[in-house]
Amino acid sequence: MHYLDTLNSAQRRAVEHTEGPLLILAGAGAGKTKTLTSRIFHLIKKGIAPHNILAITFTNKAAKEMKERVQSLMSSETGFSGEAPFVSTFHALGVYILRNEYQHHKRGKFFSIADSKDTLVMVKEAIKELGLDPKIHEPKKIRGIISSQKNKCQTSAMYIKQSETHLGSIIGSIWNKYEQILASENAFDFDDLLLETVYLLETNQDVAEKYNKLWKYIHIDEYQDTNETQYRIAQALGKHGNICVVGDGDQTIYTWRGADVTNILNFEKDYPDALVVLLEENYRSTQNILLAANNVISKNTKRKEKNLFTKNKEGELITIFEATSDRQEASFVQRKIQELVKQGVEYSDVAVLYRANFQSRILEETMLLGDIPYIVLGVRFFDRAEVKDVLSYLRAAYNKESLTDIKRIINVPKRGLGKVTIAKLFAGEKDSLPIKTIHKINEFYAFLDEVFTYSQTHLPSETIRFVIEKSGLKKELQESGTEDDIARIENMEELITFALKYDHLAENGISKMIEDAVLASDQDSLENTNQTKEAPKGVRLMTVHASKGLEFPYVFIVGLEQDLFPHHFDGKDNGDSDDEEERRLFYVALTRAEEQVFLSHATLRYIHGEQHLQEPSEFLKDIPSEIVNNEYDTVSFRGRNTDDYNDDGPMEYLIID
C-alpha cells in the first residue's frame, strides 16, 4: 500500500503541505508521529536531500521511534542512500552545534555535561566558597532558580540587574560563582546546552546562516512544551520559513519547567501565512474514554478548540471507586489488577497513575502483598552509583579538568586517597603530599591516559569492559561477594550491552554514548532498568507527568481528591493558569488509556504523616453520568465513626450499577 493511502484526509493534507509554515494541532492518539514521519519521507520522495531535514523532539525515546519509522519508510523504497535526516532532542541538538562550533565558545570541543547531581554539588560548593550557609541558602532551591532563569534566556548578569532584593543579590552572587566552577571544569549544565546555542545562533550571523542552509526543512514535535530558549532556537533555525510544528495545547503540563503554551497558541502570529491542520481522529481509545476526556478539557478557556472522535468501539464504562481510606483504594487497585490478569491481561498492559510521588508507597506495599510484579518509572539506570562511576572514568579520561568526575572516582575503588589528600590536590598543594601519595595520584592519572589511548583504537563496548576490568571496580565488588555487590557488577556490565549500540560510530562512539547516557530521560529508563535482555514485566507505577507520551490498555488514576488532584501547592496562589494546567494533566492521564479507565478517590488519606478528610475531585463531576460505573466500599465513612473500618487489608465491595 502506498504510504499516502494509509493517512486520513487531515493527515494527508499536513504531509503534502511541504513549503511554508505549518501548524499541526494533533490530539492525543491522533497519529502525530505517523504524520510527522510520513511528511519527512514525502519531502525526501520529492527530492529533498535527507541531510537538509531536521526533526526535533523532547525525549530520546521519541527521537529513536521517529528515526526508526523514517528509516522503515525509506527501506521500503529503492534508490535511497544510507543518508538520513537529523533527528534529535533539543539538548542533543545543542550538544551537536556546540561541539561543531567549539571555536566560537570558551569550553572547547571536549566539554563535559554536568547532570543534575553534578550541578547540585557545584551550587553547594559555590555557596560555601562565598562563606554562606547551605542550610539557609538551600542548594536545591538555588539551582532551581538558576535553571528557571536560564530557561527564560536570562544570564546571571541580567538577573542581578533586574533583582531589587537582598536575597536576589545573594542568588546572583552564587550564580556567578557557580558559573566560575562550571568554567573551571570545562563543563556546561543541561540548560547551557540550550542557552549557549541560542546565544551562538543569535549573535553569530555566519553560524546561523550555516545551519539555516543546512536544515532547510524543520520539524518540531511537542511544540506546546517548548520554553523560551527552545522557542528562540526554533526561530533562529527557521528563518527560511519552512517550519512545521506539531503539538497539542491541551497537553501542556510542564509550565513548571518553563514550557510556555503561548508558543503554540501564537504560532499563527509568528507566521501569519501558516497552514493549520487539525488531527482529531483518535486511534487509541474507546468512545467512552474520549467522551470523558473531551468533557474534562472543554472547561479550559486558553486552548485551540478541537474535539476528539474515534471509529473505535464504545468500550467499557468509566469506573469510579469511592474508598474509605487510601489503603482501601490501594486494595481496590490490587483486586482489579488480579481480576484483569485472570481474564488474560498482561501485567505490563496496566498502568497506575498518581499526581504526587508520595502516593506510590502504599501502592507498592499493596502490590507486594498481592504478589503483583511492578515497576516504578523514574528510578534511572544511569543514576546508579556504580554506573555513574564507570561513566565518570570515561568523562575524566576525555576531560581531566572535570573535577566533579575526578573527585568521584579518584578513590573508587579505594586507593588510600582520603578527603585531606583530595582537598590538597585540588588546592594546588600536591607537592606537599608524601611521595607515596603523589605516586598513587600519578598512577590514577596515568590510568586515565591509558583509558583515553585505549578508546582511540577500540570499540566503545570494549572500552567500557576495559574500564570495569582494569580500574579495579569489578575486583573490589567481587571480593565483597554480597548479593548487592554482584548486582552492581551486573549493572556495570549492562553498560557494555548499552555501548554496543555505539560501536558502529567509530571515533565518535564514546562521546555520543556518554552524551546519551547523561541526557537519558525518565521514560528512557523504562527500557534500561531491567538487567535482562527481556522487556521488564510488571504493572507500571508512575506520576501522570511521567506517563506523557505513553499508552496502556488499562489505566488506573488514583487520588482524585481536591488539593491532591487538582493539586494545591502550599504557599502558592492557585490562579487560573494553575487550574487549567491541572485539568490538562487529568486530560493527559485519561487519554493514556486504550480499553478501560478506573478512577478512584479516598475519604481519608495520610499525607505527610497526617490523616486528612478528603473531598472528591471536581474533575469527577465533568464526566457524563451515563458512561460511569460507580463502586463503593461496603463500609462507608459517611455517618460512621472513624474506628468502625478495618484499615489492615482488603474488604468486601458492593458494586452499584
Side-chain angles (χ1 to χ4, degrees), residues 302-360:
K302 299 173 184 175
R303 63 187 295 261
K304 296 273 190 180
E305 186 65 34
K306 68 178 183 306
N307 197 57
L308 295 180
F309 68 92
T310 185
K311 296 175 184 175
N312 293 340
K313 62 185 179 182
E314 186 176 87
E316 300 289 339
L317 297 178
I318 308 294
T319 295
I320 299 181
F321 177 71
E322 180 181 346
T324 306
S325 67
D326 48 2
R327 184 174 295 278
Q328 291 302 322
E329 177 186 54
S331 295
F332 163 76
V333 173
Q334 177 204 68
R335 181 174 67 89
K336 282 295 182 184
I337 291 173
Q338 289 169 333
E339 289 176 4
L340 289 170
V341 170
K342 286 180 181 178
Q343 296 168 16
V345 173
E346 297 286 341
Y347 286 115
S348 56
D349 287 336
V350 181
V352 184
L353 311 183
Y354 37 84
R355 180 63 183 84
N357 276 304
F358 78 84
Q359 293 173 259
S360 72

Side-chain angles (χ1 to χ4, degrees), residues 358-462:
F358 78 84
Q359 293 173 259
S360 72
R361 184 199 63 79
I362 196 166
L363 290 165
E364 289 189 65
E365 182 181 311
T366 310
M367 295 292 149
L368 289 169
L369 289 171
D371 199 26
I372 296 174
Y374 68 90
I375 298 166
V376 181
L377 187 62
V379 181
R380 301 199 325 155
F381 174 81
F382 296 108
D383 277 345
R384 291 172 176 165
E386 60 276 10
V387 173
K388 291 199 72 172
D389 289 341
V390 176
L391 292 174
S392 281
Y393 267 101
L394 292 174
R395 288 164 59 176
Y398 274 74
N399 178 16
K400 293 187 180 63
E401 294 175 83
S402 180
L403 300 187
T404 299
D405 289 310
I406 300 293
K407 287 179 180 177
R408 179 180 186 89
I409 59 174
I410 195 169
N411 201 41
V412 179
K414 292 181 175 60
R415 297 183 175 88
L417 301 176
K419 292 182 179 179
V420 174
T421 298
I422 294 170
K424 286 188 176 182
L425 174 63
F426 293 127
E429 299 173 10
K430 176 183 173 181
D431 292 340
S432 68
L433 294 168
I435 297 296
K436 188 176 180 180
T437 301
I438 293 174
H439 179 68
K440 290 178 180 178
I441 293 171
N442 290 340
E443 282 185 336
F444 168 74
Y445 278 95
F447 178 69
L448 295 183
D449 289 334
E450 192 177 355
V451 171
F452 181 81
T453 302
Y454 186 91
S455 71
Q456 302 304 295
T457 56
H458 292 78
L459 300 174
S461 61
E462 294 172 336

Side-chain angles (χ1 to χ4, degrees), residues 171-378:
I171 292 172
S173 298
I174 295 170
W175 187 348
N176 275 333
K177 180 61 69 174
Y178 166 67
E179 293 296 338
Q180 292 172 18
I181 294 171
L182 275 173
S184 70
E185 298 205 16
N186 194 41
F188 286 130
D189 64 24
F190 271 21
D191 302 312
D192 289 331
L193 300 179
L194 303 181
L195 186 59
E196 292 294 327
T197 301
V198 168
Y199 177 77
L200 185 58
L201 292 171
E202 291 183 346
T203 61
N204 192 310
Q205 187 175 350
D206 291 340
V207 171
E209 286 182 1
K210 172 183 174 180
Y211 290 102
N212 270 271
K213 288 178 181 177
L214 173 62
W215 294 316
K216 298 175 182 177
Y217 294 85
I218 295 177
H219 304 76
I220 303 175
D221 193 13
E222 305 287 6
Y223 195 65
Q224 78 280 349
D225 289 335
T226 52
N227 59 30
E228 180 68 15
T229 51
Q230 291 157 340
Y231 169 78
R232 283 167 63 170
I233 288 173
Q235 294 288 299
L237 292 176
K239 297 295 185 184
H240 41 64
N242 291 324
I243 180 170
C244 166
V245 303
V246 186
D248 180 7
D250 291 337
Q251 296 187 70
T252 301
I253 60 174
Y254 294 117
T255 59
W256 51 278
R257 285 186 186 171
D260 188 350
V261 69
T262 61
N263 290 343
I264 194 167
L265 296 179
N266 293 337
F267 185 81
E268 293 164 89
K269 292 182 181 178
D270 291 336
Y271 302 93
D273 58 337
L275 172 68
V276 180
V277 177
L278 287 178
L279 301 185
E280 297 176 291
E281 183 174 356
N282 177 283
Y283 294 91
R284 175 189 301 159
S285 307
T286 64
Q287 292 179 31
N288 282 337
I289 292 171
L290 293 186
L291 180 57
N294 284 332
N295 273 270
V296 165
I297 202 62
S298 67
K299 298 294 178 69
N300 276 3
T301 58
K302 299 173 184 175
R303 63 187 295 261
K304 296 273 190 180
E305 186 65 34
K306 68 178 183 306
N307 197 57
L308 295 180
F309 68 92
T310 185
K311 296 175 184 175
N312 293 340
K313 62 185 179 182
E314 186 176 87
E316 300 289 339
L317 297 178
I318 308 294
T319 295
I320 299 181
F321 177 71
E322 180 181 346
T324 306
S325 67
D326 48 2
R327 184 174 295 278
Q328 291 302 322
E329 177 186 54
S331 295
F332 163 76
V333 173
Q334 177 204 68
R335 181 174 67 89
K336 282 295 182 184
I337 291 173
Q338 289 169 333
E339 289 176 4
L340 289 170
V341 170
K342 286 180 181 178
Q343 296 168 16
V345 173
E346 297 286 341
Y347 286 115
S348 56
D349 287 336
V350 181
V352 184
L353 311 183
Y354 37 84
R355 180 63 183 84
N357 276 304
F358 78 84
Q359 293 173 259
S360 72
R361 184 199 63 79
I362 196 166
L363 290 165
E364 289 189 65
E365 182 181 311
T366 310
M367 295 292 149
L368 289 169
L369 289 171
D371 199 26
I372 296 174
Y374 68 90
I375 298 166
V376 181
L377 187 62

Side-chain angles (χ1 to χ4, degrees), residues 1-7 15 38 41-42 45 73 77:
M1 182 181 290
H2 193 271
Y3 69 99
L4 291 176
D5 295 336
T6 66
L7 306 171
V15 166
S38 295
F41 180 63
H42 189 66
K45 286 274 288 183
L73 285 169
E77 299 277 340

Side-chain angles (χ1 to χ4, degrees), residues 142 145 149 154-176:
I142 301 295
I145 292 170
Q149 293 300 312
Q154 297 289 300
T155 63
S156 58
M158 295 164 68
Y159 181 80
I160 291 172
K161 186 176 180 180
Q162 294 172 6
S163 178
E164 298 178 354
T165 65
H166 177 62
L167 178 59
S169 178
I170 292 175
I171 292 172
S173 298
I174 295 170
W175 187 348
N176 275 333

